[in-house]
Amino acid sequence: MLKCSIWWCGKVFSVRPAKTAPPNPINRALKLNFQHQHQSIPLFTCRSNRSVSAMEEAAASTIGFLSKKLYDPPSWASHLNPIPSHTFSLGHLPTPIHKWNLPNLPQNTEVWLKRDDLSGMELSGNKVRKLEFLLAEAVAQGADCIITIGGIQSNHCRATAVAAKYLDLDCYLILRTSKVLVDKDPGLTGNLLVERLVGAHIDLVSKEEYAKTGSLALTNLLKEKLISEGRKPYVIPVGGSNSLGTWGYIEAVREIEQQLQTGNGKAGFDDIVVACGSGATVAGLALGSWLSQLKAKVHAFAVCDDPDYFYEYVQGLIDGLQGGVSSRGIVDIKNAKGIGYAMSTPEELKFVKEVAQATGVVLDPVYSGKAAHGMMKDMADNPMKWAGRKILFIHTGGLLGLFDKTDEMVSLVGNWREMDVPESTPRKDGSGKMF
């Protein structure tokens, strides 16, 4: 008979198997943990006549999620400054790496996939890694609400809204939309559905107003308004991309290194390929790869703005950590914007469909879809540049963005029909149960 005591915030709970499950002490412990502002780390003491059980492992996993932890940086990044003091455990990490059998690759080229789209459900994607650091600072500063800003289908805004609610914080989103829709209900498509389900407060602003006023001024206006109402807001920039958010992908490099060490013993990666939408993911990967033993060349495909803008912005993030290196020396940034941010050509959407059909991997149309399309186009144009190389592609998530493209994709996914059931097929009422 297993008896397990769980210590949390000075209280001890006993867990025993029972025919009728008692109130869940893990959930009570989690509630106590939030009431104590995540200042305690759970410890376990168990007595059993057998080895550590699946029940204990499940309990440990449950308690680890959403916990606040002291942050210890990788040794190769310990000279960076400032170093975060804490993180929240928000993502389901490490995310898996597997071979990606893309067709029409250059000779002897391998592409592997880092599945950051599997870092959670409502919280899926690369934004989770940044939010682990940003929300830890927000809580440490005593914030009671979060402000952030992005496009109408922003994955970052959706992830922030969910993570904030997990931590009992209100969330205020400023979403950029077209001038003709700014005074209308934004609807429930894709990311908007999740944001509105979790109770995020949404302010709409036109693209024209956004372009003239800027994200910093807009978030500051809302911040001052909330302060005047007695609130304590914490502002997260577009995409969570500041020097603190950059730590999310510095830490991801450590994760990749550990996965390579525990894998099948093959050599590391020659290249890392990723979409670039706000900058911190690229900055963290490039700086981490350069500082660590990974030493993979980072290739970023910009889905908005242009490469020169991102070289400068990434440089600012690196300088904010006293990284001591030029962005142009550690990352290659190419333009993959196409006809515009979050706008897709028929060719790009066809590519997303073909990749899904060939490999089972669903790319989003705004970020990873454009980055993978750009990578494959560059491979076709410059096969010798990529021949024989081992590439890690970072899938940054964004699946919900596909729901905003359904009208444009109807002609690509017409493989359906009514089933032909011959008249001679025996029939009897009640034979098929419909649940």
Side-chain angles (χ1 to χ4, degrees):
M1 180 76 172
L2 174 68
K3 181 177 181 180
C4 181
S5 297
I6 303 173
W7 180 90
W8 192 287
C9 301
K11 295 185 180 292
V12 178
F13 304 92
S14 294
V15 182
R16 292 176 180 271
K19 292 182 180 179
T20 302
N24 189 340
I26 304 299
N27 289 343
R28 282 189 286 154
L30 284 170
K31 185 175 181 181
L32 281 168
N33 189 36
F34 278 106
Q35 291 173 346
H36 284 72
Q37 294 187 342
H38 299 265
Q39 294 177 359
S40 296
I41 303 295
L43 302 175
F44 286 76
T45 58
C46 296
R47 298 188 298 277
S48 174
N49 57 3
R50 53 197 173 124
S51 61
V52 176
S53 68
M55 177 181 174
E56 293 169 87
E57 292 176 359
S61 175
T62 302
I63 288 180
F65 183 58
L66 300 184
S67 64
K68 185 177 179 180
K69 302 175 291 187
L70 289 170
Y71 181 64
D72 184 25
S75 58
W76 41 261
S78 60
H79 67 287
L80 298 178
N81 185 48
I83 293 174
S85 60
H86 291 81
T87 65
F88 271 115
S89 177
L90 298 175
H92 300 299
L93 307 174
T95 57
I97 294 174
H98 64 82
K99 196 170 183 180
W100 195 13
N101 295 315
L102 289 169
N104 304 317
L105 294 173
Q107 186 176 10
N108 298 322
T109 298
E110 292 183 11
V111 178
W112 293 67
L113 197 58
K114 175 71 168 164
R115 300 298 300 271
D116 274 12
D117 59 316
L118 303 181
S119 59
M121 176 57 77
E122 303 94 333
L123 274 175
S124 66
N126 61 324
K127 310 304 181 185
V128 181
R129 294 185 185 272
K130 305 175 192 180
L131 289 169
E132 291 194 327
F133 291 90
L134 293 164
L135 290 180
E137 181 176 79
V139 170
Q141 292 182 4
D144 62 9
C145 59
I146 304 296
I147 298 171
T148 197
I149 188 169
I152 193 68
Q153 282 294 331
S154 168
N155 299 308
H156 161 70
C157 288
R158 178 256 307 155
T160 302
V162 173
K165 191 57 64 173
Y166 276 163
L167 304 181
D168 200 26
L169 301 170
D170 286 337
C171 186
Y172 291 81
L173 305 177
I174 302 172
L175 301 182
R176 184 180 65 246
T177 189
S178 69
K179 183 166 56 177
V180 297
L181 296 175
V182 73
D183 60 346
K184 296 178 175 62
D185 189 305
L188 298 172
T189 300
N191 288 301
L192 281 163
L193 175 60
V194 177
E195 291 160 359
R196 299 180 79 174
L197 279 174
V198 300
H201 305 269
I202 295 175
D203 284 302
L204 299 179
V205 62
S206 71
K207 295 176 183 178
E208 292 78 8
E209 185 66 69
Y210 184 97
K212 293 176 182 177
T213 307
S215 63
L216 293 178
L218 289 169
T219 53
N220 191 59
L221 281 171
L222 183 52
K223 177 183 176 181
E224 293 302 321
K225 178 178 182 294
L226 290 172
I227 290 174
S228 70
E229 295 171 357
R231 305 301 301 272
K232 298 177 181 178
Y234 177 89
V235 177
I236 295 177
V238 174
S241 287
N242 57 16
S243 292
L244 178 58
T246 300
W247 279 98
Y249 272 85
I250 294 174
E251 184 62 27
V253 169
R254 169 158 61 179
E255 180 178 299
I256 294 166
E257 282 194 311
Q258 291 172 343
Q259 288 176 297
L260 287 170
Q261 292 168 5
T262 58
N264 55 16
K266 290 186 178 180
F269 297 104
D270 300 304
D271 305 274
I272 294 174
V273 176
V274 68
C276 180
S278 56
T281 296
V282 170
L285 286 170
L287 186 57
S289 183
W290 179 70
L291 290 174
S292 71
Q293 294 301 310
L294 192 59
K295 298 293 186 281
K297 178 70 175 180
V298 176
H299 305 265
F301 286 86
V303 302
C304 57
D305 297 297
D306 57 67
D308 286 338
Y309 166 82
F310 279 115
Y311 278 124
E312 183 177 347
Y313 193 84
V314 169
Q315 188 64 58
L317 298 177
I318 293 171
D319 292 345
L321 295 174
Q322 300 178 26
V325 64
S326 168
S327 61
R328 293 179 182 269
I330 60 174
V331 59
D332 172 41
I333 305 177
K334 293 188 179 300
N335 195 336
K337 180 170 60 175
I339 60 175
Y341 174 72
M343 300 170 66
S344 302
T345 65
E347 179 187 356
E348 290 166 347
L349 293 178
K350 183 181 178 183
F351 173 80
V352 169
K353 168 65 169 64
E354 289 174 345
V355 169
Q357 186 169 317
T359 72
V361 174
V362 180
L363 300 169
D364 80 293
V366 180
Y367 296 96
S368 290
K370 288 195 174 188
H373 183 259
M375 177 185 73
M376 294 301 292
K377 189 175 185 302
D378 195 50
M379 286 181 174
D381 294 342
N382 305 285
M384 295 308 297
K385 169 184 171 182
W386 298 93
R389 298 184 73 81
K390 186 175 179 181
I391 301 152
L392 181 65
F393 186 94
I394 312 293
H395 190 331
T396 55
L399 177 63
L400 289 171
L402 271 174
F403 291 89
D404 195 43
K405 302 290 183 181
T406 53
D407 289 344
E408 299 171 62
M409 300 195 74
V410 167
S411 62
L412 301 175
V413 291
N415 49 336
W416 69 275
R417 65 186 180 186
E418 181 182 359
M419 185 174 180
D420 180 21
V421 183
E423 286 296 327
S424 59
T425 304
R427 291 170 171 83
K428 180 182 177 181
D429 288 344
S431 295
K433 299 293 184 183
M434 292 179 287
F435 299 98

